Amino acid sequence: MTEKKNSPVTITDIQAKKGKKEKIVSLTAYDFPVAKIVSESGVDLILVGDSLGMVVLGYENTIPVTMDEMIHHTKAVVRASPKPLVVGDMPYYSFHISEEETLRNAFRFLKEGGAQAVKVEGASPRRLKMIETMVDSGIPVMGHVGLTPQSIHQLGHFRVQGKQAKEAKRIASQAQNLEKAGVFSVILECIPMELSRVITEKLKIPTIGIGAGPYCDGQILVFHDLVGYAHGYLPKFVKRYAHLHSILSDAVQSYIHDVKEKKFPDDPHSYHVKSSKILDEVD
Ligand code: KIV
């Protein structure tokens, strides 16, 4: 089936793009207005990423993010009736304990959140088992290998993965194992472009890169990084297309100035009574 002009993007549409050599354009969104912008601009896939913990909730890393927070933001995105496929990111501790708990949390994304799929970081044998269980239960799953931010305490710090032969081999076989486990697509984060090229060629499912160079089947970035609205350190792989932070802080500075100098509120931004007699009644 071909993608219809105004119908929502499906997993089949995303997968077909690999065969047609059409890039899959993806972005994160965590709320209603950004989901509207991203959807109206023609993006194929929205990830409600657990990066929201750092980007909009102010956590130091993604570890503290809860299921309830993820569902809250997924619902806000879905309320925008986005055309892109919406993928909910399973947070740390939501798919670790048991198959039953993993399923319950994944179903929450689809039933309560309104997402069409979930994403899971990692590809250990135990993780693959959880993924197989979800796929068997009819839940579309996206994989994620390379730099997996939820492993921050094992990694020590965020750095490029797969620069050495052993690590590169491990990441490539993880991606292949994820394909076997039934994921519909896989995110490759922060790995050398030569490695993502090899993985992309080996897999039948689409690869979506972030910091993984130009050879992936698709690309994803954090929306706030792209528009310059993020705080703190920006990785080398981010290209900024706007500088919202300075635009917004200039706007706030102008507001402060106008209020202090009694320039705002002015007449055009105020209301009037119909007749001054009305005020006689007030006295
Ligand atoms: O949480 C997130 O936003 C992600 C993307 C950066 C891939 O996992």
Side-chain angles (χ1 to χ4, degrees):
M1 238 185 16
T2 51
E3 197 180 328
K4 289 191 205 84
K5 203 155 187 280
N6 280 315
S7 52
V9 178
T10 64
I11 283 164
T12 323
D13 299 328
I14 295 289
Q15 292 194 309
K17 282 182 181 281
K18 179 161 181 142
K20 293 190 263 178
K21 298 205 183 311
E22 282 173 18
K23 288 279 185 185
I24 300 157
V25 187
S26 321
L27 272 177
T28 62
Y30 315 132
D31 60 25
F32 181 90
V34 171
K36 279 275 182 214
I37 292 171
V38 164
S39 175
E40 286 163 8
S41 307
V43 156
D44 300 305
L45 184 149
I46 290 177
L47 173 69
V48 187
D50 67 346
S51 52
L52 67 84
M54 296 168 78
V55 179
V56 297
L57 301 181
Y59 296 139
E60 200 175 320
N61 53 49
T62 56
I63 303 293
V65 177
T66 65
M67 268 305 296
D68 286 346
E69 285 165 340
M70 290 306 302
I71 296 296
H72 174 82
H73 285 275
T74 306
K75 282 168 131 175
V77 165
V78 169
R79 266 180 230 124
S81 309
K83 189 183 165 222
L85 186 85
V86 177
V87 180
D89 203 3
M90 294 197 64
Y92 189 70
Y93 192 52
S94 69
F95 53 93
H96 301 68
I97 306 300
S98 66
E99 286 175 53
E100 199 181 308
E101 204 170 310
T102 302
L103 274 183
R104 193 172 298 119
N105 285 326
F107 277 127
R108 280 191 72 190
F109 271 103
L110 273 66
K111 282 184 74 79
E112 277 178 60
Q116 281 97 50
V118 297
K119 176 174 84 61
V120 175
E121 285 187 19
S124 65
R126 187 172 159 79
R127 196 66 37 87
L128 292 169
K129 199 160 183 290
M130 301 290 183
I131 290 171
E132 275 168 12
T133 304
M134 288 188 272
V135 174
D136 280 353
S137 306
I139 301 167
V141 182
M142 175 182 246
H144 183 162
V145 292
L147 175 63
T148 48
Q150 290 174 12
S151 317
I152 180 66
H153 297 316
Q154 278 173 322
L155 297 171
H157 49 263
F158 296 142
R159 63 167 176 85
V160 183
Q161 305 290 303
K163 281 183 135 183
Q164 306 300 328
K166 192 171 160 205
E167 219 177 56
K169 203 170 157 199
R170 184 178 55 84
I171 295 169
S173 63
Q174 284 180 332
Q176 286 179 296
N177 289 339
L178 282 169
E179 181 171 69
K180 279 188 213 131
V183 302
F184 72 90
S185 166
V186 62
I187 297 231
L188 304 179
E189 179 162 355
C190 220
I191 62 171
M193 62 162 115
E194 298 81 2
L195 176 58
S196 65
R197 178 180 213 161
V198 173
I199 297 175
T200 301
E201 283 168 5
K202 276 183 191 290
L203 298 189
K204 289 193 185 64
I205 54 166
T207 59
I208 299 188
I210 173 162
Y215 303 118
C216 294
D217 299 304
Q219 174 64 42
I220 185 159
L221 277 181
V222 168
F223 173 84
H224 292 66
D225 291 345
L226 169 99
V227 298
Y229 188 29
H231 283 266
Y233 167 78
L234 262 198
K236 168 187 160 159
F237 61 74
V238 172
K239 182 170 174 187
R240 265 199 199 149
Y241 288 82
H243 290 85
L244 277 203
H245 190 279
S246 53
I247 291 172
L248 297 179
S249 70
D250 286 353
V252 174
Q253 290 298 332
S254 302
Y255 166 71
I256 292 170
H257 173 268
D258 282 2
V259 171
K260 287 189 174 172
E261 297 299 318
K262 304 185 178 69
K263 290 185 173 162
F264 176 83
D266 52 4
D267 194 69
H269 295 97
S270 303
Y271 303 100
H272 294 279
V273 286
K274 281 202 173 127
S275 141
S276 57
K277 284 194 190 131
I278 290 172
L279 297 179
D280 296 344
E281 313 252 329
V282 176
D283 278 344

